[in-house]
């Protein structure tokens, strides 16, 4: 739990110092999406919307970041997923489809 809390604090710090930078929002969305998978697999809630909003902010700040966003989304799902994470990655896949459609 403490590691997740610390990771979330790092994301918030990144956004505080880079609030006008699309790449900061993209990185924050990436980390948040990974955290969301872990929290979801533990039954601690679905936080995919947080990551999606960060990705949306990155695009709003700089639309040319779209190829980097697409790369980021492709790398979020590993080729082989452990059984305990399968349901969480299914949820992530649904969010990926929505985000890629932007």
């Amino acid at each position: 739990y403490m590691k997740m809390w610390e990771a979330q604090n790092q994301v918030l710090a990144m956004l505080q110092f880079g609030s006008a930078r699309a790449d900061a929002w993209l990185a924050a969305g990436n980390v948040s999406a990974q955290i969301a998978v872990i929290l979801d697999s533990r039954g601690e809630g679905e936080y995919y919307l947080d990551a999606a909003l960060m990705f949306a902010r990155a695009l709003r700040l700089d639309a040319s970041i779209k190829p980097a966003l697409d790369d980021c989304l492709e790398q979020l799902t590993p080729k082989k997923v452990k059984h305990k994470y399968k349901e969480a990655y299914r949820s992530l896949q649904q969010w990926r489809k929505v985000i890629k459609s932007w």
Side-chain angles (χ1 to χ4, degrees):
Y1 173 80
M2 291 302 291
K3 294 291 183 186
M4 292 303 218
W5 183 79
E6 187 62 35
Q8 289 170 324
N9 282 334
Q10 292 296 320
V11 167
L12 292 175
M14 182 184 347
L15 294 177
Q16 285 178 331
F17 290 107
S19 63
R21 295 183 49 192
D23 61 333
W25 286 92
L26 179 65
N30 185 33
V31 172
S32 293
Q34 293 176 35
I35 292 171
V37 168
I38 294 168
L39 291 173
D40 190 13
S41 69
R42 292 178 176 178
E44 296 178 24
E46 293 187 9
Y47 294 92
Y48 304 105
L49 179 59
D50 294 347
L53 292 172
M54 291 175 192
F55 289 141
R57 180 72 176 150
L59 284 173
R60 202 159 182 208
L61 287 170
D62 181 3
S64 71
I65 205 164
K66 179 76 164 99
L69 172 59
D70 289 341
D71 288 343
C72 177
L73 292 171
E74 287 301 318
Q75 295 174 18
L76 278 175
T77 306
K79 300 268 187 247
K80 292 184 179 182
V81 176
K82 291 182 181 181
H83 181 71
K84 67 180 181 177
Y85 296 116
K86 282 193 181 203
E87 236 2 87
Y89 275 110
R90 277 193 204 113
S91 296
L92 178 63
Q93 291 294 83
Q94 293 171 349
W95 281 101
R96 279 181 56 201
K97 286 179 187 176
V98 171
I99 296 166
K100 287 187 97 159
S101 71
W102 297 341

